[in-house]
Amino acid sequence: MSTPRAAGRYRGDLLLFMALAFTVSWASWFTAIGLGGSAMAPPAVVPYLLGAFGPLVAALVVRVRRGLRGEPVPEHAVRFRWQALLWAPLLLVLASATVLGPAFLAQVAGGPAVSPESALDVVANAGGPAAFLVSMVISGPLSEEPGWRGTAYPRLRASMGRFQIGLVLGVIWAVWHLPLFFINGTVQNQLGLDSPSGVLFAVSNIPMTMLTCYAYERGGVLASIAVHFSVNTTMVLLGVHAPVTQALIIGVQSIVVVLLLVTSRPQAGSDAMPMARSQAKNLGGQEEFAR
């Protein structure tokens, strides 16, 4: 249990993190909206890309602030462990399956067909496999996970259950994405804010949050990055836009994450915190998202 002092500190950290994440991202994205044009073309491309790093910037500020104050690592933070090198690829495959499976089910049910040729076109248009993979790692997984999971999750976990965090952080994550619906060329803009696909995109943030939080518990930020990357990449390659496919993905991911959470014990901080508590003052510069 967190002490009242720790709980107050976590609330302060969360408020600072959320304020900075939204300010950096929304200020950048609204600038891109004002400039007009496509997201990946000048002049909107720079603020559009910078906006994705709002959570990372906020996480860095919280880390530096904690270090300067000599405060201990949050109780539910997950330090880097070598087991993460095993968990990350396993969860990456599982996460991809939660998209591939529903996509094939949708095809069988009369929905859009899964087309390898379309996937190859996506990779080619991105500049080749290397450029595509780098862009998919940086835009989303690397720019967001150190913040949403590495910084926000352990502080929320001090006072909330795992399902409650999935709901709360999932809604916050969905709201954070809103400006992207108004930038030409983004996935969200193609879906449309007032369309069934746009609504389903917002809803999908909840099971996705639970899945990445579970990954964080197993293997830290590295594992949550792997899950985020896997889901995003698989959906982009498949060109998931149809409501039937989105709905099936939400359903499958919800079932999978509920099974994972109810059949596993939380690992966050379980073997990392004794040393962290005893060395808190000496390790002031160390932070959860760097593990």
Side-chain angles (χ1 to χ4, degrees), residues 131-166:
F132 174 73
L133 291 175
V134 169
S135 66
M136 294 306 299
V137 170
I138 294 176
S139 180
L142 190 60
S143 63
E144 295 182 40
E145 289 306 311
W148 300 123
R149 257 54 69 178
T151 302
Y153 173 82
R155 291 167 171 85
L156 288 169
R157 189 71 179 90
S159 58
M160 293 184 184
R162 301 154 91 193
F163 287 100
Q164 188 178 6
I165 291 175

PDB file of all heavy atoms in Angstrom, residues 131-166:
ATOM      1  N   ALA A 131      12.763   1.317 -43.657  1.00  0.00           N
ATOM      2  CA  ALA A 131      12.127   2.602 -43.354  1.00  0.00           C
ATOM      3  C   ALA A 131      10.756   2.394 -42.718  1.00  0.00           C
ATOM      4  O   ALA A 131      10.380   3.108 -41.778  1.00  0.00           O
ATOM      5  CB  ALA A 131      11.997   3.441 -44.620  1.00  0.00           C
ATOM      6  N   PHE A 132      10.025   1.405 -43.232  1.00  0.00           N
ATOM      7  CA  PHE A 132       8.699   1.128 -42.682  1.00  0.00           C
ATOM      8  C   PHE A 132       8.788   0.690 -41.231  1.00  0.00           C
ATOM      9  O   PHE A 132       8.063   1.205 -40.363  1.00  0.00           O
ATOM     10  CB  PHE A 132       8.012   0.040 -43.512  1.00  0.00           C
ATOM     11  CG  PHE A 132       6.704  -0.426 -42.941  1.00  0.00           C
ATOM     12  CD1 PHE A 132       5.579   0.373 -43.012  1.00  0.00           C
ATOM     13  CD2 PHE A 132       6.612  -1.665 -42.318  1.00  0.00           C
ATOM     14  CE1 PHE A 132       4.360  -0.052 -42.472  1.00  0.00           C
ATOM     15  CE2 PHE A 132       5.416  -2.103 -41.788  1.00  0.00           C
ATOM     16  CZ  PHE A 132       4.280  -1.288 -41.860  1.00  0.00           C
ATOM     17  N   LEU A 133       9.685  -0.257 -40.918  1.00  0.00           N
ATOM     18  CA  LEU A 133       9.807  -0.761 -39.552  1.00  0.00           C
ATOM     19  C   LEU A 133      10.283   0.313 -38.592  1.00  0.00           C
ATOM     20  O   LEU A 133       9.780   0.427 -37.467  1.00  0.00           O
ATOM     21  CB  LEU A 133      10.764  -1.961 -39.535  1.00  0.00           C
ATOM     22  CG  LEU A 133      10.259  -3.236 -40.210  1.00  0.00           C
ATOM     23  CD1 LEU A 133      11.344  -4.299 -40.219  1.00  0.00           C
ATOM     24  CD2 LEU A 133       9.001  -3.758 -39.513  1.00  0.00           C
ATOM     25  N   VAL A 134      11.237   1.128 -39.022  1.00  0.00           N
ATOM     26  CA  VAL A 134      11.732   2.209 -38.163  1.00  0.00           C
ATOM     27  C   VAL A 134      10.610   3.193 -37.855  1.00  0.00           C
ATOM     28  O   VAL A 134      10.428   3.629 -36.710  1.00  0.00           O
ATOM     29  CB  VAL A 134      12.920   2.932 -38.826  1.00  0.00           C
ATOM     30  CG1 VAL A 134      13.262   4.216 -38.069  1.00  0.00           C
ATOM     31  CG2 VAL A 134      14.140   2.025 -38.860  1.00  0.00           C
ATOM     32  N   SER A 135       9.842   3.555 -38.872  1.00  0.00           N
ATOM     33  CA  SER A 135       8.747   4.506 -38.658  1.00  0.00           C
ATOM     34  C   SER A 135       7.688   3.930 -37.731  1.00  0.00           C
ATOM     35  O   SER A 135       7.120   4.650 -36.898  1.00  0.00           O
ATOM     36  CB  SER A 135       8.111   4.896 -39.996  1.00  0.00           C
ATOM     37  OG  SER A 135       7.456   3.790 -40.604  1.00  0.00           O
ATOM     38  N   MET A 136       7.425   2.623 -37.837  1.00  0.00           N
ATOM     39  CA  MET A 136       6.416   2.004 -36.992  1.00  0.00           C
ATOM     40  C   MET A 136       6.883   1.871 -35.546  1.00  0.00           C
ATOM     41  O   MET A 136       6.072   1.885 -34.626  1.00  0.00           O
ATOM     42  CB  MET A 136       6.029   0.627 -37.545  1.00  0.00           C
ATOM     43  CG  MET A 136       5.318   0.655 -38.882  1.00  0.00           C
ATOM     44  SD  MET A 136       3.851   1.717 -38.923  1.00  0.00           S
ATOM     45  CE  MET A 136       2.819   0.955 -37.677  1.00  0.00           C
ATOM     46  N   VAL A 137       8.180   1.733 -35.334  1.00  0.00           N
ATOM     47  CA  VAL A 137       8.707   1.660 -33.974  1.00  0.00           C
ATOM     48  C   VAL A 137       8.675   3.034 -33.308  1.00  0.00           C
ATOM     49  O   VAL A 137       8.246   3.185 -32.153  1.00  0.00           O
ATOM     50  CB  VAL A 137      10.151   1.109 -33.970  1.00  0.00           C
ATOM     51  CG1 VAL A 137      10.786   1.276 -32.590  1.00  0.00           C
ATOM     52  CG2 VAL A 137      10.153  -0.362 -34.354  1.00  0.00           C
ATOM     53  N   ILE A 138       9.128   4.047 -34.043  1.00  0.00           N
ATOM     54  CA  ILE A 138       9.256   5.387 -33.455  1.00  0.00           C
ATOM     55  C   ILE A 138       7.895   6.035 -33.265  1.00  0.00           C
ATOM     56  O   ILE A 138       7.615   6.613 -32.209  1.00  0.00           O
ATOM     57  CB  ILE A 138      10.149   6.269 -34.354  1.00  0.00           C
ATOM     58  CG1 ILE A 138      11.577   5.719 -34.364  1.00  0.00           C
ATOM     59  CG2 ILE A 138      10.138   7.715 -33.854  1.00  0.00           C
ATOM     60  CD1 ILE A 138      12.511   6.449 -35.297  1.00  0.00           C
ATOM     61  N   SER A 139       7.043   5.962 -34.292  1.00  0.00           N
ATOM     62  CA  SER A 139       5.757   6.655 -34.253  1.00  0.00           C
ATOM     63  C   SER A 139       4.712   5.831 -33.520  1.00  0.00           C
ATOM     64  O   SER A 139       4.012   5.009 -34.097  1.00  0.00           O
ATOM     65  CB  SER A 139       5.276   6.927 -35.681  1.00  0.00           C
ATOM     66  OG  SER A 139       4.031   7.596 -35.674  1.00  0.00           O
ATOM     67  N   GLY A 140       4.625   6.047 -32.239  1.00  0.00           N
ATOM     68  CA  GLY A 140       3.657   5.328 -31.409  1.00  0.00           C
ATOM     69  C   GLY A 140       4.325   4.564 -30.296  1.00  0.00           C
ATOM     70  O   GLY A 140       4.382   5.028 -29.148  1.00  0.00           O
ATOM     71  N   PRO A 141       4.892   3.399 -30.586  1.00  0.00           N
ATOM     72  CA  PRO A 141       5.478   2.587 -29.512  1.00  0.00           C
ATOM     73  C   PRO A 141       6.569   3.305 -28.719  1.00  0.00           C
ATOM     74  O   PRO A 141       6.484   3.443 -27.501  1.00  0.00           O
ATOM     75  CB  PRO A 141       6.043   1.390 -30.280  1.00  0.00           C
ATOM     76  CG  PRO A 141       5.169   1.267 -31.474  1.00  0.00           C
ATOM     77  CD  PRO A 141       4.861   2.675 -31.876  1.00  0.00           C
ATOM     78  N   LEU A 142       7.605   3.777 -29.403  1.00  0.00           N
ATOM     79  CA  LEU A 142       8.728   4.400 -28.703  1.00  0.00           C
ATOM     80  C   LEU A 142       8.385   5.782 -28.177  1.00  0.00           C
ATOM     81  O   LEU A 142       8.855   6.193 -27.114  1.00  0.00           O
ATOM     82  CB  LEU A 142       9.939   4.480 -29.637  1.00  0.00           C
ATOM     83  CG  LEU A 142      11.263   4.893 -28.996  1.00  0.00           C
ATOM     84  CD1 LEU A 142      11.670   3.908 -27.902  1.00  0.00           C
ATOM     85  CD2 LEU A 142      12.360   4.984 -30.063  1.00  0.00           C
ATOM     86  N   SER A 143       7.552   6.514 -28.910  1.00  0.00           N
ATOM     87  CA  SER A 143       7.220   7.876 -28.500  1.00  0.00           C
ATOM     88  C   SER A 143       6.141   7.932 -27.420  1.00  0.00           C
ATOM     89  O   SER A 143       5.967   8.970 -26.774  1.00  0.00           O
ATOM     90  CB  SER A 143       6.760   8.690 -29.718  1.00  0.00           C
ATOM     91  OG  SER A 143       5.571   8.138 -30.278  1.00  0.00           O
ATOM     92  N   GLU A 144       5.424   6.827 -27.199  1.00  0.00           N
ATOM     93  CA  GLU A 144       4.319   6.845 -26.243  1.00  0.00           C
ATOM     94  C   GLU A 144       4.495   5.936 -25.033  1.00  0.00           C
ATOM     95  O   GLU A 144       4.142   6.307 -23.907  1.00  0.00           O
ATOM     96  CB  GLU A 144       3.018   6.444 -26.960  1.00  0.00           C
ATOM     97  CG  GLU A 144       2.561   7.406 -28.032  1.00  0.00           C
ATOM     98  CD  GLU A 144       1.255   6.955 -28.657  1.00  0.00           C
ATOM     99  OE1 GLU A 144       0.377   6.476 -27.916  1.00  0.00           O
ATOM    100  OE2 GLU A 144       1.114   7.058 -29.892  1.00  0.00           O
ATOM    101  N   GLU A 145       5.021   4.736 -25.239  1.00  0.00           N
ATOM    102  CA  GLU A 145       5.031   3.745 -24.162  1.00  0.00           C
ATOM    103  C   GLU A 145       5.826   4.151 -22.914  1.00  0.00           C
ATOM    104  O   GLU A 145       5.413   3.843 -21.794  1.00  0.00           O
ATOM    105  CB  GLU A 145       5.521   2.394 -24.682  1.00  0.00           C
ATOM    106  CG  GLU A 145       4.533   1.689 -25.598  1.00  0.00           C
ATOM    107  CD  GLU A 145       3.167   1.548 -24.948  1.00  0.00           C
ATOM    108  OE1 GLU A 145       3.087   1.092 -23.785  1.00  0.00           O
ATOM    109  OE2 GLU A 145       2.180   1.909 -25.600  1.00  0.00           O
ATOM    110  N   PRO A 146       6.975   4.833 -23.044  1.00  0.00           N
ATOM    111  CA  PRO A 146       7.655   5.284 -21.825  1.00  0.00           C
ATOM    112  C   PRO A 146       6.788   6.209 -20.970  1.00  0.00           C
ATOM    113  O   PRO A 146       7.012   6.325 -19.766  1.00  0.00           O
ATOM    114  CB  PRO A 146       8.886   6.035 -22.364  1.00  0.00           C
ATOM    115  CG  PRO A 146       9.152   5.391 -23.686  1.00  0.00           C
ATOM    116  CD  PRO A 146       7.775   5.115 -24.250  1.00  0.00           C
ATOM    117  N   GLY A 147       5.803   6.837 -21.619  1.00  0.00           N
ATOM    118  CA  GLY A 147       4.916   7.729 -20.882  1.00  0.00           C
ATOM    119  C   GLY A 147       3.686   7.032 -20.334  1.00  0.00           C
ATOM    120  O   GLY A 147       3.489   6.949 -19.123  1.00  0.00           O
ATOM    121  N   TRP A 148       2.849   6.502 -21.238  1.00  0.00           N
ATOM    122  CA  TRP A 148       1.578   5.896 -20.798  1.00  0.00           C
ATOM    123  C   TRP A 148       1.794   4.712 -19.868  1.00  0.00           C
ATOM    124  O   TRP A 148       1.148   4.592 -18.829  1.00  0.00           O
ATOM    125  CB  TRP A 148       0.760   5.439 -22.001  1.00  0.00           C
ATOM    126  CG  TRP A 148       0.394   6.515 -22.965  1.00  0.00           C
ATOM    127  CD1 TRP A 148       0.676   6.555 -24.300  1.00  0.00           C
ATOM    128  CD2 TRP A 148      -0.326   7.728 -22.690  1.00  0.00           C
ATOM    129  NE1 TRP A 148       0.183   7.708 -24.865  1.00  0.00           N
ATOM    130  CE2 TRP A 148      -0.438   8.446 -23.906  1.00  0.00           C
ATOM    131  CE3 TRP A 148      -0.886   8.290 -21.539  1.00  0.00           C
ATOM    132  CZ2 TRP A 148      -1.087   9.681 -24.003  1.00  0.00           C
ATOM    133  CZ3 TRP A 148      -1.525   9.519 -21.630  1.00  0.00           C
ATOM    134  CH2 TRP A 148      -1.622  10.195 -22.835  1.00  0.00           C
ATOM    135  N   ARG A 149       2.716   3.832 -20.229  1.00  0.00           N
ATOM    136  CA  ARG A 149       2.947   2.656 -19.390  1.00  0.00           C
ATOM    137  C   ARG A 149       4.080   2.871 -18.395  1.00  0.00           C
ATOM    138  O   ARG A 149       3.944   2.608 -17.206  1.00  0.00           O
ATOM    139  CB  ARG A 149       3.240   1.432 -20.274  1.00  0.00           C
ATOM    140  CG  ARG A 149       2.075   0.500 -20.409  1.00  0.00           C
ATOM    141  CD  ARG A 149       0.785   1.169 -20.901  1.00  0.00           C
ATOM    142  NE  ARG A 149       0.850   1.595 -22.269  1.00  0.00           N
ATOM    143  CZ  ARG A 149      -0.168   2.171 -22.913  1.00  0.00           C
ATOM    144  NH1 ARG A 149      -1.314   2.388 -22.296  1.00  0.00           N
ATOM    145  NH2 ARG A 149      -0.044   2.554 -24.170  1.00  0.00           N
ATOM    146  N   GLY A 150       5.224   3.373 -18.853  1.00  0.00           N
ATOM    147  CA  GLY A 150       6.373   3.503 -17.961  1.00  0.00           C
ATOM    148  C   GLY A 150       6.213   4.532 -16.867  1.00  0.00           C
ATOM    149  O   GLY A 150       6.813   4.405 -15.800  1.00  0.00           O
ATOM    150  N   THR A 151       5.408   5.568 -17.100  1.00  0.00           N
ATOM    151  CA  THR A 151       5.261   6.644 -16.119  1.00  0.00           C
ATOM    152  C   THR A 151       3.870   6.682 -15.495  1.00  0.00           C
ATOM    153  O   THR A 151       3.736   6.735 -14.274  1.00  0.00           O
ATOM    154  CB  THR A 151       5.570   8.005 -16.776  1.00  0.00           C
ATOM    155  OG1 THR A 151       6.898   7.987 -17.311  1.00  0.00           O
ATOM    156  CG2 THR A 151       5.457   9.137 -15.771  1.00  0.00           C
ATOM    157  N   ALA A 152       2.827   6.675 -16.326  1.00  0.00           N
ATOM    158  CA  ALA A 152       1.466   6.793 -15.790  1.00  0.00           C
ATOM    159  C   ALA A 152       1.003   5.516 -15.088  1.00  0.00           C
ATOM    160  O   ALA A 152       0.419   5.577 -14.004  1.00  0.00           O
ATOM    161  CB  ALA A 152       0.495   7.147 -16.921  1.00  0.00           C
ATOM    162  N   TYR A 153       1.265   4.357 -15.701  1.00  0.00           N
ATOM    163  CA  TYR A 153       0.734   3.117 -15.147  1.00  0.00           C
ATOM    164  C   TYR A 153       1.156   2.851 -13.698  1.00  0.00           C
ATOM    165  O   TYR A 153       0.296   2.575 -12.852  1.00  0.00           O
ATOM    166  CB  TYR A 153       1.128   1.924 -16.020  1.00  0.00           C
ATOM    167  CG  TYR A 153       0.736   0.599 -15.403  1.00  0.00           C
ATOM    168  CD1 TYR A 153      -0.563   0.111 -15.524  1.00  0.00           C
ATOM    169  CD2 TYR A 153       1.650  -0.145 -14.654  1.00  0.00           C
ATOM    170  CE1 TYR A 153      -0.937  -1.088 -14.938  1.00  0.00           C
ATOM    171  CE2 TYR A 153       1.289  -1.342 -14.062  1.00  0.00           C
ATOM    172  CZ  TYR A 153       0.000  -1.807 -14.205  1.00  0.00           C
ATOM    173  OH  TYR A 153      -0.365  -2.977 -13.605  1.00  0.00           O
ATOM    174  N   PRO A 154       2.449   2.876 -13.350  1.00  0.00           N
ATOM    175  CA  PRO A 154       2.808   2.545 -11.967  1.00  0.00           C
ATOM    176  C   PRO A 154       2.224   3.506 -10.943  1.00  0.00           C
ATOM    177  O   PRO A 154       1.953   3.117  -9.800  1.00  0.00           O
ATOM    178  CB  PRO A 154       4.343   2.602 -11.973  1.00  0.00           C
ATOM    179  CG  PRO A 154       4.709   3.377 -13.168  1.00  0.00           C
ATOM    180  CD  PRO A 154       3.634   3.139 -14.176  1.00  0.00           C
ATOM    181  N   ARG A 155       1.997   4.734 -11.326  1.00  0.00           N
ATOM    182  CA  ARG A 155       1.420   5.707 -10.400  1.00  0.00           C
ATOM    183  C   ARG A 155      -0.086   5.499 -10.252  1.00  0.00           C
ATOM    184  O   ARG A 155      -0.631   5.658  -9.154  1.00  0.00           O
ATOM    185  CB  ARG A 155       1.764   7.120 -10.864  1.00  0.00           C
ATOM    186  CG  ARG A 155       3.266   7.418 -10.706  1.00  0.00           C
ATOM    187  CD  ARG A 155       3.723   8.673 -11.438  1.00  0.00           C
ATOM    188  NE  ARG A 155       5.095   9.012 -11.090  1.00  0.00           N
ATOM    189  CZ  ARG A 155       6.176   8.502 -11.682  1.00  0.00           C
ATOM    190  NH1 ARG A 155       6.021   7.621 -12.675  1.00  0.00           N
ATOM    191  NH2 ARG A 155       7.388   8.848 -11.306  1.00  0.00           N
ATOM    192  N   LEU A 156      -0.745   5.155 -11.339  1.00  0.00           N
ATOM    193  CA  LEU A 156      -2.170   4.808 -11.255  1.00  0.00           C
ATOM    194  C   LEU A 156      -2.366   3.509 -10.483  1.00  0.00           C
ATOM    195  O   LEU A 156      -3.333   3.356  -9.728  1.00  0.00           O
ATOM    196  CB  LEU A 156      -2.762   4.669 -12.655  1.00  0.00           C
ATOM    197  CG  LEU A 156      -2.959   5.960 -13.454  1.00  0.00           C
ATOM    198  CD1 LEU A 156      -3.289   5.632 -14.909  1.00  0.00           C
ATOM    199  CD2 LEU A 156      -4.045   6.822 -12.842  1.00  0.00           C
ATOM    200  N   ARG A 157      -1.432   2.583 -10.657  1.00  0.00           N
ATOM    201  CA  ARG A 157      -1.554   1.261 -10.024  1.00  0.00           C
ATOM    202  C   ARG A 157      -1.494   1.345  -8.507  1.00  0.00           C
ATOM    203  O   ARG A 157      -1.958   0.443  -7.801  1.00  0.00           O
ATOM    204  CB  ARG A 157      -0.416   0.354 -10.531  1.00  0.00           C
ATOM    205  CG  ARG A 157      -0.556  -1.107 -10.106  1.00  0.00           C
ATOM    206  CD  ARG A 157      -1.687  -1.781 -10.838  1.00  0.00           C
ATOM    207  NE  ARG A 157      -1.811  -3.178 -10.444  1.00  0.00           N
ATOM    208  CZ  ARG A 157      -2.560  -3.616  -9.441  1.00  0.00           C
ATOM    209  NH1 ARG A 157      -3.263  -2.756  -8.720  1.00  0.00           N
ATOM    210  NH2 ARG A 157      -2.622  -4.901  -9.155  1.00  0.00           N
ATOM    211  N   ALA A 158      -0.947   2.433  -7.993  1.00  0.00           N
ATOM    212  CA  ALA A 158      -0.857   2.606  -6.542  1.00  0.00           C
ATOM    213  C   ALA A 158      -2.230   2.740  -5.897  1.00  0.00           C
ATOM    214  O   ALA A 158      -2.390   2.452  -4.711  1.00  0.00           O
ATOM    215  CB  ALA A 158      -0.011   3.835  -6.209  1.00  0.00           C
ATOM    216  N   SER A 159      -3.238   3.141  -6.688  1.00  0.00           N
ATOM    217  CA  SER A 159      -4.568   3.353  -6.109  1.00  0.00           C
ATOM    218  C   SER A 159      -5.686   2.719  -6.929  1.00  0.00           C
ATOM    219  O   SER A 159      -6.853   2.834  -6.570  1.00  0.00           O
ATOM    220  CB  SER A 159      -4.851   4.857  -5.974  1.00  0.00           C
ATOM    221  OG  SER A 159      -4.762   5.508  -7.235  1.00  0.00           O
ATOM    222  N   MET A 160      -5.358   2.039  -8.027  1.00  0.00           N
ATOM    223  CA  MET A 160      -6.382   1.450  -8.892  1.00  0.00           C
ATOM    224  C   MET A 160      -6.067   0.003  -9.209  1.00  0.00           C
ATOM    225  O   MET A 160      -4.912  -0.412  -9.215  1.00  0.00           O
ATOM    226  CB  MET A 160      -6.480   2.226 -10.221  1.00  0.00           C
ATOM    227  CG  MET A 160      -6.999   3.623 -10.125  1.00  0.00           C
ATOM    228  SD  MET A 160      -7.166   4.342 -11.797  1.00  0.00           S
ATOM    229  CE  MET A 160      -7.672   6.018 -11.375  1.00  0.00           C
ATOM    230  N   GLY A 161      -7.109  -0.753  -9.529  1.00  0.00           N
ATOM    231  CA  GLY A 161      -6.943  -2.114 -10.003  1.00  0.00           C
ATOM    232  C   GLY A 161      -6.590  -2.131 -11.474  1.00  0.00           C
ATOM    233  O   GLY A 161      -6.696  -1.116 -12.175  1.00  0.00           O
ATOM    234  N   ARG A 162      -6.201  -3.285 -11.966  1.00  0.00           N
ATOM    235  CA  ARG A 162      -5.743  -3.386 -13.344  1.00  0.00           C
ATOM    236  C   ARG A 162      -6.845  -3.095 -14.363  1.00  0.00           C
ATOM    237  O   ARG A 162      -6.612  -2.418 -15.374  1.00  0.00           O
ATOM    238  CB  ARG A 162      -5.160  -4.781 -13.564  1.00  0.00           C
ATOM    239  CG  ARG A 162      -3.993  -5.080 -12.637  1.00  0.00           C
ATOM    240  CD  ARG A 162      -3.846  -6.576 -12.405  1.00  0.00           C
ATOM    241  NE  ARG A 162      -2.951  -7.194 -13.376  1.00  0.00           N
ATOM    242  CZ  ARG A 162      -2.861  -8.506 -13.531  1.00  0.00           C
ATOM    243  NH1 ARG A 162      -3.629  -9.328 -12.835  1.00  0.00           N
ATOM    244  NH2 ARG A 162      -2.010  -9.009 -14.409  1.00  0.00           N
ATOM    245  N   PHE A 163      -8.062  -3.590 -14.121  1.00  0.00           N
ATOM    246  CA  PHE A 163      -9.162  -3.320 -15.047  1.00  0.00           C
ATOM    247  C   PHE A 163      -9.570  -1.853 -15.003  1.00  0.00           C
ATOM    248  O   PHE A 163      -9.905  -1.258 -16.035  1.00  0.00           O
ATOM    249  CB  PHE A 163     -10.352  -4.215 -14.731  1.00  0.00           C
ATOM    250  CG  PHE A 163     -10.151  -5.647 -15.125  1.00  0.00           C
ATOM    251  CD1 PHE A 163      -9.795  -6.606 -14.184  1.00  0.00           C
ATOM    252  CD2 PHE A 163     -10.290  -6.047 -16.443  1.00  0.00           C
ATOM    253  CE1 PHE A 163      -9.593  -7.923 -14.541  1.00  0.00           C
ATOM    254  CE2 PHE A 163     -10.098  -7.372 -16.818  1.00  0.00           C
ATOM    255  CZ  PHE A 163      -9.745  -8.314 -15.864  1.00  0.00           C
ATOM    256  N   GLN A 164      -9.538  -1.266 -13.820  1.00  0.00           N
ATOM    257  CA  GLN A 164      -9.892   0.147 -13.684  1.00  0.00           C
ATOM    258  C   GLN A 164      -8.892   1.021 -14.432  1.00  0.00           C
ATOM    259  O   GLN A 164      -9.278   1.991 -15.101  1.00  0.00           O
ATOM    260  CB  GLN A 164      -9.930   0.544 -12.205  1.00  0.00           C
ATOM    261  CG  GLN A 164     -10.476   1.947 -11.961  1.00  0.00           C
ATOM    262  CD  GLN A 164     -10.552   2.286 -10.484  1.00  0.00           C
ATOM    263  OE1 GLN A 164     -10.101   1.511  -9.631  1.00  0.00           O
ATOM    264  NE2 GLN A 164     -11.108   3.446 -10.169  1.00  0.00           N
ATOM    265  N   ILE A 165      -7.616   0.684 -14.339  1.00  0.00           N
ATOM    266  CA  ILE A 165      -6.598   1.439 -15.075  1.00  0.00           C
ATOM    267  C   ILE A 165      -6.832   1.322 -16.572  1.00  0.00           C
ATOM    268  O   ILE A 165      -6.712   2.303 -17.318  1.00  0.00           O
ATOM    269  CB  ILE A 165      -5.186   0.943 -14.716  1.00  0.00           C
ATOM    270  CG1 ILE A 165      -4.827   1.304 -13.284  1.00  0.00           C
ATOM    271  CG2 ILE A 165      -4.145   1.547 -15.666  1.00  0.00           C
ATOM    272  CD1 ILE A 165      -3.508   0.744 -12.811  1.00  0.00           C
ATOM    273  N   GLY A 166      -7.193   0.119 -17.025  1.00  0.00           N
ATOM    274  CA  GLY A 166      -7.455  -0.073 -18.443  1.00  0.00           C
ATOM    275  C   GLY A 166      -8.549   0.842 -18.949  1.00  0.00           C
ATOM    276  O   GLY A 166      -8.444   1.414 -20.040  1.00  0.00           O
TER     277      GLY A 166
END
